[in-house]
Amino acid sequence: DQQVKQNSPSLSVQEGRISILNCDYTNSMFDYFLWYKKYPAEGPTFLISISSIKDKNEDGRFTVFLNKSAKHLSLHIVPSQPGDSAVYFCAASGGSGGSYIPTFGRGTSLIVHP
Amino acid sequence: NAGVTQTPKFQVLKTGQSMTLQCAQDMNHNSMYWYRQDPGMGLRLIYYSASEGTTDKGEVPNGYNVSRLNKREFSLRLESAAPSQTSVYFCASSARGFGSPLHFGNGTRLTVT
């Protein structure tokens, strides 16, 4: 059973507009959440994270929002650029025994059109 | 600064053959991991090593073995490859501790025929 779900396999956005990538989790023990970005033929790279004690974290064009009651987080990219086209993975850690090992979602492929 | 280096980048095996995927990191990280990525399945943990001298199974360990050779190196071995092991394999490392992000290598694309 998936503990971290990214229900949208793909997302298409026009350059300059906002991209919103969503992630849901089922394990209420998760307390740290990360987003990774992956280009083809490369490994994932860390993008941004948020602790459960916060509800928002911002880094330049990237903002992650956390809604603990809904067990939902989202990544906002504003403004979107063609170079943002990649697969984005949501990951969560914590859980039983405080495991630091992240559980990944299946990813969302973002395409930003010029 | 190379980060996490994986070798080889590509490999084709016949069913039943064996091979070892190599991984090395130069960031002095304590923890290392092996993931596989399959279409529509995301990243699934095969094995991990919390620190030098320890290894533990992840979500999909069957058919694999690992060796934490030293703090820098963590290898993944397929003793008898099967077509179901066709995948892209990623090695990663982290400083460990709460919330430490993973640093990934660029992957090994393995095809088993």
Side-chain angles (χ1 to χ4, degrees):
Chain A
D1 187 32
Q2 281 184 269
Q3 296 190 70
V4 178
K5 299 178 184 180
Q6 295 178 256
N7 291 320
S8 298
S10 63
L11 175 67
S12 184
V13 170
Q14 206 66 31
E15 181 178 7
R17 306 295 289 267
I18 184 171
S19 295
I20 300 176
L21 294 89
N22 293 304
C23 179
D24 297 293
Y25 60 96
T26 57
N27 188 339
S28 58
M29 297 295 289
F30 285 145
D31 51 14
Y32 204 81
F33 305 90
L34 309 94
W35 285 94
Y36 289 82
K37 176 180 181 178
K38 184 186 180 304
Y39 292 119
E42 295 183 9
T45 56
F46 169 70
L47 186 59
I48 192 169
S49 62
I50 188 167
S51 164
S52 61
I53 63 173
K54 294 186 174 183
D55 55 17
K56 177 182 173 181
N57 189 27
E58 192 172 353
D59 183 1
R61 296 185 297 113
F62 302 90
T63 303
V64 56
F65 295 92
L66 176 62
N67 182 334
K68 284 180 291 184
S69 61
K71 295 191 181 69
H72 176 84
L73 62 154
S74 60
L75 174 68
H76 293 213
I77 306 173
V78 184
S80 301
Q81 299 173 353
D84 296 328
S85 298
V87 176
Y88 289 79
F89 290 100
C90 171
S93 64
S96 174
S99 171
Y100 60 91
I101 300 169
T103 299
F104 285 83
R106 294 186 176 183
T108 297
S109 177
L110 173 66
I111 300 172
V112 180
H113 298 281
Chain B
N1 189 351
V4 179
T5 303
Q6 291 184 236
T7 55
K9 287 184 170 51
F10 302 94
Q11 185 71 48
V12 178
L13 291 177
K14 295 188 189 304
T15 298
Q17 287 185 318
S18 63
M19 79 161 295
T20 300
L21 281 65
Q22 307 285 354
C23 175
Q25 53 94 6
D26 62 4
M27 294 172 284
N28 201 34
H29 284 166
N30 288 315
S31 301
M32 298 186 73
Y33 314 79
W34 277 104
Y35 286 88
R36 60 179 287 175
Q37 185 192 11
D38 302 293
M41 296 299 293
L43 293 159
R44 293 184 293 170
L45 183 66
I46 305 171
Y47 270 92
Y48 68 98
S49 171
S51 60
E52 187 179 354
T54 69
T55 61
D56 285 286
K57 295 178 181 179
E59 179 185 357
V60 289
N62 291 344
Y64 305 95
N65 285 301
V66 290
S67 295
R68 183 75 183 266
L69 303 170
N70 47 56
K71 190 171 186 179
R72 290 187 64 247
E73 298 172 288
F74 188 39
S75 63
L76 178 72
R77 182 160 179 84
L78 288 71
E79 290 291 351
S80 179
S84 61
Q85 294 177 305
T86 293
S87 188
V88 181
Y89 292 85
F90 289 101
C91 177
S93 69
S94 72
R96 199 183 177 186
F98 181 69
S100 296
L102 272 60
H103 297 256
F104 286 87
N106 282 333
T108 294
R109 184 174 293 275
L110 175 66
T111 302
V112 183
T113 61

